[in-house]
């Protein structure tokens, strides 16, 4: 038989975050998929601006859209830095690297409420800014139980209408209480076929096939106890690693965290790789590719726990005709 070639990308740095192996990232790297030239907006608490893990990664347009002062981009919470690292921390033989380690991070600091929280207006402003500054993908590792304000929903609609992909965390209200994902993730499968008017501030939201809700799995591919399940968003819901994720810390070193906040950026990074490596894919094609090539977990087919299943970059590459050793 054909000898199996060990991947040169299977480094200590790669192995530091088990999530990279869990999603089949080596296949992407072995086939020149790194996310180069793709911009992912991270709407969050900012980014650790001078961290060497982000050397060359941060888009010039990155800013704080609450104060409109670039100097206020610096992350003081750590959440945005961690999320950004899962997407695009550099492959530099130190610590760990992101899924799309050559992608560009458009860091948008939008926390404007006590405790590093976000008001609907500030998120809407940040989404509009991301679209205006040529983001290909927007990562929203934020959410809540309340239906969206009209302004927030209008910003989301404008983004998907412009061809931008929105990746959203499902929420961390898990356990018996949670049966649905939080907003805005719950709008991910709203379309002309799946009418979500009852959920929305204004009628007729259409995700255009460009939104994904992301729940969290543990290392053994079980649903994390904290993760909101797919519920009625199942057809546009994926799971990705989100428990025990090793990420970049503010001021250097790594932090280990858990939450659907850290599952979502695995999907954002995977999308960046697909858009770079297969440039003829439309953004909705890229979303559909991940949903249809996910590894089925739980009940056969799409289900209300795991949705479409576990993010699988190896299967996505194979579906695009790339042979895998």
């Amino acid at each position: 038989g054909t000898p199996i070639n060990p991947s040169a990308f299977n480094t200590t740095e790669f192995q530091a975050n088990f999530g990279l192996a869990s999603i089949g990232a080596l296949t992407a790297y072995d086939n020149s998929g790194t996310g180069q030239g793709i911009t992912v907006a991270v709407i969050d608490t900012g980014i650790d601006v001078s961290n060497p893990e982000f050397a060359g990664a941060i888009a010039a347009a990155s800013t704080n859209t609450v104060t409109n002062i670039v100097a206020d981009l610096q992350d003081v919470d750590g959440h945005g830095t961690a999320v950004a690292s899962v997407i695009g921390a550099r492959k530099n033989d130190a610590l760990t690297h992101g899924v799309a380690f050559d992608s560009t991070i458009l860091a948008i600091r939008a926390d404007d409420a006590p405790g590093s929280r976000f008001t609907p207006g500030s998120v809407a402003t940040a989404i509009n800014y991301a679209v205006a500054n040529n983001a290909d993908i927007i990562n929203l590792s934020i959410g809540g139980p309340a239906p969206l304000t009209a302004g927030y929903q209008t910003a989301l609609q404008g983004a998907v209408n412009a061809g931008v992909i929105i990746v959203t965390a499902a929420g961390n209200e898990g356990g018996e209480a949670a049966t649905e994902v939080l907003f805005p993730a719950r709008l991910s499968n709203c379309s002309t076929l799946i009418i979500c008017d009852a959920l929305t501030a204004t009628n007729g939201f259409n995700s255009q096939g460009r939104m994904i809700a992301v729940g969290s799995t543990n290392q053994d591919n079980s649903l994390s106890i904290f993760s909101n399940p797919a519920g009625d968003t199942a057809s546009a819901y994926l799971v990705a690693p989100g428990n025990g994720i090793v990420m970049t810390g503010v001021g250097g070193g790594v932090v280990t965290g858990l939450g659907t906040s850290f599952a979502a950026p695995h999907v954002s990074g995977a999308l960046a790789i697909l858009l770079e490596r297969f440039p003829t894919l439309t953004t909705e094609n890229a979303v559909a590719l991940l949903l249809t090539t996910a590894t089925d977990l739980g009940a056969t087919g799409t289900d209300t726990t795991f949705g479409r299943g576990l993010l699988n970059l190896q299967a996505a590459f194979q579906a695009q005709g790339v042979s895998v050793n």
Side-chain angles (χ1 to χ4, degrees):
T2 306
I4 295 174
N5 298 321
S7 173
F9 292 93
N10 192 11
T11 62
T12 302
E13 188 182 4
F14 170 88
Q15 293 165 9
N17 172 21
F18 81 88
L20 296 174
S22 290
I23 66 170
L26 282 178
T27 294
Y29 306 152
D30 287 339
N31 290 280
S32 306
T34 67
Q36 186 168 12
I38 304 301
T39 297
V40 185
V42 178
I43 296 175
D44 216 293
T45 61
I47 195 167
D48 191 21
V49 176
S50 59
N51 196 304
E53 287 292 305
F54 300 116
I58 303 173
S62 298
T63 193
N64 182 322
T65 50
V66 176
T67 65
N68 293 314
I69 299 170
V70 175
D72 292 342
L73 178 61
Q74 176 60 38
D75 184 11
V76 293
D77 177 86
H79 190 272
T81 296
V83 170
S85 81
V86 175
I87 297 167
R90 276 357 200 195
K91 186 177 184 297
N92 59 358
D93 296 320
L95 306 178
T96 184
H97 66 69
V99 176
F101 53 75
D102 284 336
S103 62
T104 299
I105 301 294
L106 177 62
I108 304 175
R109 186 174 171 189
D111 52 308
D112 63 345
S116 296
R117 296 190 180 275
F118 305 81
T119 57
S122 69
V123 178
T125 298
I127 291 169
N128 293 334
Y129 183 87
V131 175
N133 286 276
N134 303 309
D136 299 294
I137 300 155
I138 296 173
N139 189 94
L140 290 172
S141 287
I142 51 182
L148 302 185
T149 62
Y152 192 162
Q153 186 179 303
T154 298
L156 287 170
Q157 189 69 70
V160 294
N161 288 355
V164 179
I165 301 171
I166 309 277
V167 180
T168 60
N172 303 328
E173 297 182 327
E176 294 301 311
T179 57
E180 307 293 348
V181 302
L182 298 183
F183 290 95
R186 200 167 171 196
L187 301 186
S188 295
N189 63 345
C190 296
S191 67
T192 54
L193 297 176
I194 299 177
I195 306 299
C196 300
D197 290 351
L199 301 179
T200 56
T202 56
N203 289 338
F205 185 82
N206 184 349
S207 71
Q208 308 281 6
R210 299 187 183 113
M211 283 181 76
I212 302 183
V214 187
S216 170
T217 48
N218 306 316
Q219 198 156 353
D220 65 359
N221 294 343
S222 58
L223 192 74
S224 302
I225 185 83
F226 54 78
S227 179
N228 288 53
D232 59 17
T233 314
S235 61
Y237 177 106
L238 288 178
V239 288
N243 190 5
I245 304 303
V246 176
M247 300 169 288
T248 303
V250 172
V254 294
V255 292
T256 303
L258 56 85
T260 58
S261 281
F262 310 125
H266 283 87
V267 174
S268 294
L271 285 162
I273 285 174
L274 293 182
L275 293 178
E276 176 227 359
R277 183 60 179 75
F278 306 111
T280 60
L281 285 180
T282 62
T283 47
E284 62 270 29
N285 287 160
V287 168
L289 180 59
L290 287 188
L291 293 173
T292 54
T293 57
T295 301
D296 191 26
L297 297 175
T300 301
T302 304
D303 65 80
T304 57
T305 300
F306 294 98
R308 304 294 283 268
L310 177 67
L311 173 64
N312 188 337
L313 263 176
Q314 178 174 322
F317 267 63
Q318 287 174 307
Q320 290 300 109
V322 174
S323 62
V324 178
N325 283 332

